[in-house]
Amino acid sequence: LEMDLGGISTVTDDTLAVIAEQCPLLQTLSLNCRVDVGPQVTDVGLEDITACCPLLRSISLAWCTHVTDFTLQALARGCRDLESVDISFCSKVSDEGLTNVLLDCEKLTSLRMESVDLVSEQGVVAISQNCPRIKTLSLAGCLKGATTLSVIQIARECQLLTHMDLTGVAGLEDAAVWQLSRGCRWLQELLLAWCVQLSDHSFMQIAQNCPLLTKLSLRGCVKLSDAAVVQLAQNCCYLQDLDLRGCDKVSQGGMDAFAVMIPSCIVQYLDKNFRK
């Protein structure tokens, strides 16, 4: 049983109480908001869900800003078969709540936690220690948690990763991407937009070690050169979507060379879609 209530502002804790009572076999629940547009739910309503819906496999709470560590602790107690959790922009969630889920939900394979500002480097390292089977991980905008050290730990321990989002982690250094490319060779989607510290060395490592990539975002990576773009074209033949907007060192010549080698790939370049 699946239920998508994302974007519906009339959904409240009372709504969740009814769902919990009437839908004990619920497996997927989406309560996504868009900033302040969407379900107005708190820990109270979500406690009812966790108490009555033990078969829950997937829950999305993106932008549910009233949710705290209490909800994650309740999920860990009552919904141990969880496979997918999205707590993006849940600004009151910290290391404590995250760690509870990581410890008790052993089947977790997908975790999205974009811009969760209270999660620290220690919290992200806990992902590497407790979720070796994770396949999808979004740490976009997690400026405190997604450090070079914590990403290196993820790369060492979570080698089944297929989708990784580090968008906006401006302090990320080459060492993290080097380890990520070598440790996570099953990567199909890698998003590094606005990781402005990364050099051509990182992009060359991606090209050499991640041949299965279908989507790669390097938007705003100002050190990317034509040489790395050509290397990507030579080694990543499955690429379907490449974002190079804001990569000022990449020339039209580099784009032309790429298009000759992978003509089917859609490239976003100079804020336009480019295709030979």
Side-chain angles (χ1 to χ4, degrees), residues 104-119:
D104 292 330
C105 300
E106 297 180 357
K107 296 182 180 180
L108 195 66
T109 59
S110 176
L111 176 61
R112 296 184 179 277
M113 40 180 284
E114 301 173 22
S115 296
V116 182
D117 294 335
L118 294 183
V119 170

Side-chain angles (χ1 to χ4, degrees), residues 155-172:
R156 286 176 175 166
E157 304 297 334
C158 304
Q159 298 189 3
L160 298 180
L161 274 172
T162 58
H163 296 73
M164 183 69 163
D165 188 353
L166 293 164
T167 298
V169 183
L172 198 68

Side-chain angles (χ1 to χ4, degrees), residues 2 6 32 56-57 67 80 104 109 123 167 169 186 188 202 207 229-230 232 238 254 261 275:
E2 300 182 4
N32 288 358
L56 200 65
R57 297 286 190 276
V67 168
R80 298 200 172 193
D104 292 330
T109 59
T167 298
V169 183
W186 296 102
Q188 299 172 25
S202 284
V229 170
V230 171
L232 286 167
Y238 298 110
M261 287 183 272
R275 195 183 217 164

Side-chain angles (χ1 to χ4, degrees), residues 99-263:
T99 302
N100 284 124
V101 169
L102 297 176
L103 288 173
D104 292 330
C105 300
E106 297 180 357
K107 296 182 180 180
L108 195 66
T109 59
S110 176
L111 176 61
R112 296 184 179 277
M113 40 180 284
E114 301 173 22
S115 296
V116 182
D117 294 335
L118 294 183
V119 170
S120 71
E121 180 180 78
Q122 183 178 356
V124 175
V125 169
I127 298 172
S128 70
Q129 295 169 337
N130 296 286
C131 294
R133 296 188 298 175
I134 198 161
K135 294 183 177 180
T136 297
L137 179 60
S138 176
L139 300 174
C142 290
L143 302 183
K144 293 181 181 177
T147 64
T148 295
L149 174 62
S150 63
V151 173
I152 286 174
Q153 289 300 111
I154 292 288
R156 286 176 175 166
E157 304 297 334
C158 304
Q159 298 189 3
L160 298 180
L161 274 172
T162 58
H163 296 73
M164 183 69 163
D165 188 353
L166 293 164
T167 298
V169 183
L172 198 68
E173 298 173 348
D174 286 331
V177 175
W178 181 86
Q179 189 67 52
L180 195 64
S181 70
R182 294 193 168 220
C184 304
R185 297 191 181 224
W186 296 102
L187 278 172
Q188 299 172 25
E189 180 176 306
L190 180 59
L191 308 182
L192 297 171
W194 306 112
C195 293
V196 294
Q197 298 296 326
L198 299 181
S199 73
D200 243 18
H201 178 71
S202 284
F203 312 128
M204 292 288 192
Q205 290 294 315
I206 293 169
Q208 292 170 17
N209 298 314
C210 301
L212 301 181
L213 282 175
T214 60
K215 182 174 183 179
L216 177 62
S217 176
L218 302 177
R219 182 177 186 180
C221 293
V222 294
K223 299 179 183 180
L224 178 69
S225 72
D226 285 344
V229 170
V230 171
Q231 189 80 19
L232 286 167
Q234 290 173 339
N235 293 355
C236 302
C237 60
Y238 298 110
L239 270 176
Q240 300 171 8
D241 187 341
L242 178 62
D243 191 347
L244 300 180
R245 287 175 291 176
C247 298
D248 297 335
K249 291 180 67 176
V250 177
S251 70
Q252 189 63 49
M255 293 307 309
D256 290 341
F258 183 94
V260 168
M261 287 183 272
I262 312 183

